Amino acid sequence: MSAAGPPQGANSTPSGGSAAAKPPAWGVPHHARVVVVGGGIAGASAAYHLTKLGLTDVVLLEQGRLTCGTTWHAAGLVGQMRATRNATRMSRYGIELYASLEHETGLATGWKACGSVNVAKTRERMQLMRRQMARARSFGVEFTWLTPQEIAQKLPLLRIDDLEGGVWIPGDGKANPTDLTQSLAKGARARGARIVEGVQVSGVSAHNGHVTGVQWTSGDARGEIGCEFAVNCAGQWAREFGALAGVGVPLASAEHFYLVTEPIAGVATDMPVIRDPDGYIYFKEEVGGVVMGGFEPVAKPWNVERIPERFEFQLLPEDWDQFEVLMQNALHRMPCLETAPVKLLLNGPESFTLDGNFLLGEAPELRGYFVCAGFNSSGIANAGGAGRLVAEWLIGGEPPFDAWDVDIRRFAPLHVNRRHLADRTVETLGLHYAMRWPREELSSVRPLRRSPLHDRLRDKRAVFGTKNNWERANYFLPERESEPAATLDTPGWLAWMLDEQRACREDLVVFDQSSFSKFVLKGRDALAVLERLCANRIDVPVGRIVYTALLNARGGFESDLTITRVAANEFFILTGTAQTTRDFGWIESHIGDDEHASLVDVTSAWSILSLMGPRAEALLSSLSHDDVSKAALPYGTTRIVDVGYARARAARMSYVGGPGYELCVPTDQCVTLYDALCSEGTRFGLRDAGYYTIDALRIEAGRRAWGAELSPDETPLEAGLAHAVAFDKPHFIGRDALLRQRERGVAKRLVQLALDDPAAFAWGGEPILMNGVPVGEITSAGYSRKQGRIIAFAYARSHGHDAPLTDTMIAGARYAVDIAGERVGATLATARR
Ligand SMILES: Cc1cc2nc3c(=O)[nH]c(=O)nc-3n(C[C@H](O)[C@H](O)[C@H](O)COP(=O)(O)OP(=O)(O)OC[C@H]3O[C@@H](n4cnc5c(N)ncnc54)[C@H](O)[C@@H]3O)c2cc1C
């Protein structure tokens, strides 16, 4: 392959190159409701959607010129399929927008619905694709399977002799990133937005925790714009720009490559986009040649310390060594590249996040400060949906649907550590095309957060996974066994996990659940705050635990958690490991200025050991002088008790079902407590157990999990949790919506299903069919030892849009689960109301 010629074509530097932008002698107002910072595709889309939704007092400030950051050099692939229904809905919306924008603004977007072909080289990849496409069908994405021969007919330049097959997605396409951005900007301007280039935002002012303005500079000029909202669309600068206002935006740049060839005979202008994930590469047609790029498994972070302030229409030096792995695979897949003259090996920086997903929404640190960044090389495809989501969120005050997978609140202050970001970025860029095995754990930046028991559990052969960077035991390896390989089928650890289940149901296990998020709310008005926020009644005697939902105004779950009243004006709040930032922010933001209540995050101060199983009381009694019997400590209550030398708050309750205690102990006594339990526990058959067991048993016990069965899109009536709603309370957030829904009836309801075929294995996310029609996906699945098969939660939905779903409809329906295209019958286990 020969390298020659200057960069040209649709992605080349716009005329003017890295021109110094003209000073904005005019155009920067003194006030605007919203200031959008950054004029890449994200900023243009945010401004477009804000104005489209009627908020027209918008100013967009760009330090260079529109698109000059990362957007101008993107390859422009636009695909629809993403991991979840809502994310796919967002990207499909983007495609509709890109296809129609020219008609609205008069500026072309370069949108071309050329479709895409994804090919699979291995049996496992094909199996993964079948699972993904089962979901695609359920999401309404059109596709057709292709044999290797059909791939060859469609794409004669591809080598197919080692392919298992592929899939054709006709609705996918490509766009010109620069034209698209200009078109969005024109649409925004037409509705009143002001877009000013050559102006850098140098600071954000705030008062009482709310944005009040931004400072700007341009050459020698400087000034301030008073505003209610700032939207950080600063691309790879978003982390540093966020830091100016104390907002954590955990993203880092990595070098990202594609190669552009001169025209090649046989490359048709309507050639579909080709993705070969096993080779980490993609191809698209451009000006009769080929653009070939990809996502190498070991990436190269760029300038994680500090992104240069001026980096307009610039690229990074070629790095053929880094590109080698992609190049080799490309030459194999498209042999004609061997002799094609290369115009350019483009190397441009792009932002990547810690989990490969975007960073959207209102920052927990500052009200009125929104982020729309961290696109992991899919910002062109997703800016349409992301800009709309952020605009709706800003205007409506909350996300319009469950957006947890892209919500910036899934991260915490620890995540902006630059070494963490750099080391994780090496791994996350490659996730784009990597085989994603179910329950696969990322391997970089580990261990980071450790319970005091970490080393003890490691020595007992725990296999750890992570959540919110906490190392947590997933299961325990028996002696002489080694960790089984990842699979899409029945996993090698199943038998060991089932033995943990047996111990929990028949003897006794201990789970280290120290990673739970924990807060204390204290003060004269603490009860009033919680009564307003919680759907359940919180005014209970001291020592009682209440399970409750925190609802939004639509009646959807912002969280579900337990609250222990530890004193008249003091409450201990226990919530999910992943939700620290989100739940803390939700509760804190609802404490009125005139209310006397303070919230403290005590996650690291307390550890939690769950002692579960029929012999729990016997063990605890043998270690304590306190009475821990059912009479002294009934279900749903707590007491401070001695356990060995430790003092712990024992709560009689169980997430996994069956008898047991949660022991909440100061972190400095955690090891002492654990050692006491273990030394005495041998007599009672005590063993350690992990999160896979917790998850399977909680499904068996009918316990819902936030982030799976519960989200802002589901209400307690739909989730079968009406019993935890105190409708007789005169007021709590979400009450009115629930009352209306109760009146109307619900159109979807959580059901528990058991797969008819004991050998079938579902992991979660598989579509379910009700009377042959896809109605949703499995929210959680686990193998139940008791039932000898997979049991799962899923939402049944009525087909008549909002028509109520009755008991008779649920009980009378036929259920099936689509596992990689195979329909497996399922039987209704419960349909709680
Ligand atoms: C090689 C390569 C190929 C790619 N291919 C694709 C693809 O095929 N499909 C796809 O979907 N995505 C692709 N991407 C990713 C895509 O380009 C990005 O996700 C997207 O462009 C990000 O847009 P953005 O608006 O967030 O960032 P940017 O385009 O970088 O915009 C941010 C802007 O903010 C401005 N700014 C920063 N700080 C300030 C400040 N303080 N004041 C004022 N202005 C400021 C910057 O000057 C910049 O213009 C690719 C990326 C690369 C590098």
Side-chain angles (χ1 to χ4, degrees), residues 47-300:
Y48 172 87
H49 285 98
L50 284 163
T51 55
K52 193 167 184 173
L53 291 170
L55 203 169
T56 55
D57 187 9
V58 174
V59 174
L60 184 155
L61 301 179
E62 163 54 48
Q63 63 187 5
R65 289 169 49 204
L66 289 185
T67 76
C68 74
T70 300
T71 296
W72 69 276
H73 56 62
L77 274 56
V78 178
Q80 317 166 57
M81 251 318 270
R82 291 190 64 79
T84 64
R85 181 175 285 266
N86 281 350
T88 305
R89 214 172 66 195
M90 280 167 66
S91 56
R92 296 187 77 197
Y93 161 77
I95 286 183
E96 282 165 25
L97 175 69
Y98 302 166
S100 62
L101 199 59
E102 179 176 356
H103 181 69
E104 178 193 330
T105 66
L107 273 191
T109 61
W111 168 250
K112 199 163 184 181
C114 56
S116 72
V117 172
N118 297 349
V119 301
K121 188 174 158 186
T122 61
R123 194 189 71 83
E124 289 80 11
R125 176 71 67 175
M126 198 67 206
Q127 209 185 346
L128 181 65
M129 247 182 213
R130 288 196 192 286
R131 285 180 178 257
Q132 288 165 336
M133 297 327 285
R135 276 210 302 279
R137 185 181 292 114
S138 171
F139 299 167
V141 175
E142 204 187 314
F143 67 91
T144 311
W145 290 109
L146 299 176
T147 62
Q149 291 66 35
E150 288 165 336
I151 295 172
Q153 278 160 19
K154 232 178 191 16
L155 300 161
L157 297 177
L158 276 204
R159 177 171 175 175
I160 54 123
D161 58 352
D162 61 345
L163 292 182
E164 288 276 325
V167 67
W168 158 241
I169 309 178
D172 284 358
K174 56 187 182 180
N176 180 314
T178 300
D179 293 351
L180 193 50
T181 307
Q182 293 290 358
S183 198
L184 287 165
K186 188 172 178 198
R189 276 196 200 98
R191 293 200 185 84
R194 268 188 264 191
I195 296 181
V196 193
E197 299 176 288
V199 179
Q200 185 180 57
V201 179
S202 51
V204 175
S205 1
H207 181 66
N208 271 348
H210 202 293
V211 168
T212 54
V214 303
Q215 294 87 49
W216 58 265
T217 65
S218 178
D220 293 337
R222 57 196 63 240
E224 171 134 11
I225 306 178
C227 64
E228 291 168 47
F229 301 99
V231 189
N232 177 348
C233 300
Q236 61 175 341
W237 293 267
R239 179 168 52 90
E240 283 151 28
F241 181 70
L244 294 178
V247 169
V249 185
L251 56 76
S253 285
E255 300 190 17
H256 193 33
F257 304 86
Y258 62 74
L259 169 146
V260 189
T261 75
E262 297 288 358
I264 300 175
V267 172
T269 49
D270 61 352
M271 182 178 95
V273 165
I274 303 161
R275 295 185 182 85
D276 173 6
D278 295 308
Y280 326 119
I281 47 175
Y282 63 80
F283 306 91
K284 74 158 195 172
E285 179 278 337
E286 188 168 294
V287 205
V290 165
V291 169
M292 184 283 285
F295 296 83
E296 65 275 21
V298 181
K300 192 177 167 200

Side-chain angles (χ1 to χ4, degrees), residues 367-429:
R367 302 301 312 270
Y369 190 109
F370 282 77
V371 177
C372 183
F375 285 103
N376 299 277
S377 198
S378 49
I380 306 307
N382 291 285
R388 175 170 156 181
L389 170 63
V390 166
E392 288 181 350
W393 192 331
L394 185 152
I395 291 169
E398 58 185 47
F401 51 80
D402 174 24
W404 179 231
D405 50 349
V406 291
D407 190 328
I408 192 164
R409 293 173 294 173
R410 69 194 187 280
F411 293 113
L414 77 115
H415 291 115
V416 290
N417 176 298
R418 275 172 286 189
R419 175 137 183 229
H420 181 165
L421 284 164
D423 289 356
R424 181 47 75 81
T425 299
V426 171
E427 187 178 15
T428 49
L429 180 143

Side-chain angles (χ1 to χ4, degrees), residues 257-482:
F257 304 86
Y258 62 74
L259 169 146
V260 189
T261 75
E262 297 288 358
I264 300 175
V267 172
T269 49
D270 61 352
M271 182 178 95
V273 165
I274 303 161
R275 295 185 182 85
D276 173 6
D278 295 308
Y280 326 119
I281 47 175
Y282 63 80
F283 306 91
K284 74 158 195 172
E285 179 278 337
E286 188 168 294
V287 205
V290 165
V291 169
M292 184 283 285
F295 296 83
E296 65 275 21
V298 181
K300 192 177 167 200
W302 181 68
N303 263 344
V304 175
E305 285 307 308
R306 186 164 182 82
I307 305 294
E309 255 186 36
R310 287 270 172 249
F311 194 79
E312 296 166 25
F313 298 119
Q314 285 185 56
L315 295 172
L316 303 173
E318 290 181 347
D319 184 343
W320 285 95
D321 288 342
Q322 181 69 17
F323 196 65
E324 171 76 12
V325 59
L326 306 180
M327 193 69 232
Q328 288 304 331
N329 291 338
L331 291 173
H332 170 86
R333 186 62 57 219
M334 197 180 268
C336 67
L337 290 179
E338 194 76 54
T339 51
V342 175
K343 264 194 206 171
L344 153 82
L345 174 58
L346 182 142
N347 179 7
E350 160 69 341
S351 321
F352 292 86
T353 62
L354 296 171
D355 58 2
N357 231 332
F358 323 142
L359 299 173
L360 306 183
E362 190 171 27
E365 297 91 342
L366 189 55
R367 302 301 312 270
Y369 190 109
F370 282 77
V371 177
C372 183
F375 285 103
N376 299 277
S377 198
S378 49
I380 306 307
N382 291 285
R388 175 170 156 181
L389 170 63
V390 166
E392 288 181 350
W393 192 331
L394 185 152
I395 291 169
E398 58 185 47
F401 51 80
D402 174 24
W404 179 231
D405 50 349
V406 291
D407 190 328
I408 192 164
R409 293 173 294 173
R410 69 194 187 280
F411 293 113
L414 77 115
H415 291 115
V416 290
N417 176 298
R418 275 172 286 189
R419 175 137 183 229
H420 181 165
L421 284 164
D423 289 356
R424 181 47 75 81
T425 299
V426 171
E427 187 178 15
T428 49
L429 180 143
L431 293 182
H432 216 80
Y433 285 173
M435 266 302 291
R436 301 299 294 274
W437 303 100
R439 301 201 179 176
E440 192 185 15
E441 302 284 343
L442 299 184
S443 59
S444 56
V445 196
R446 296 184 60 184
L448 176 53
R449 303 174 86 184
R450 277 176 267 196
S451 124
L453 302 183
H454 176 271
D455 291 2
R456 275 175 165 66
L457 300 186
R458 182 198 57 206
D459 294 347
K460 289 172 138 181
R461 315 201 79 220
V463 175
F464 290 97
T466 59
K467 196 158 220 177
N468 205 357
N469 291 95
W470 281 94
E471 294 289 329
R472 313 188 313 170
N474 281 338
Y475 62 92
F476 288 80
L477 271 179
E479 285 303 325
R480 287 186 295 280
E481 298 285 0
S482 49

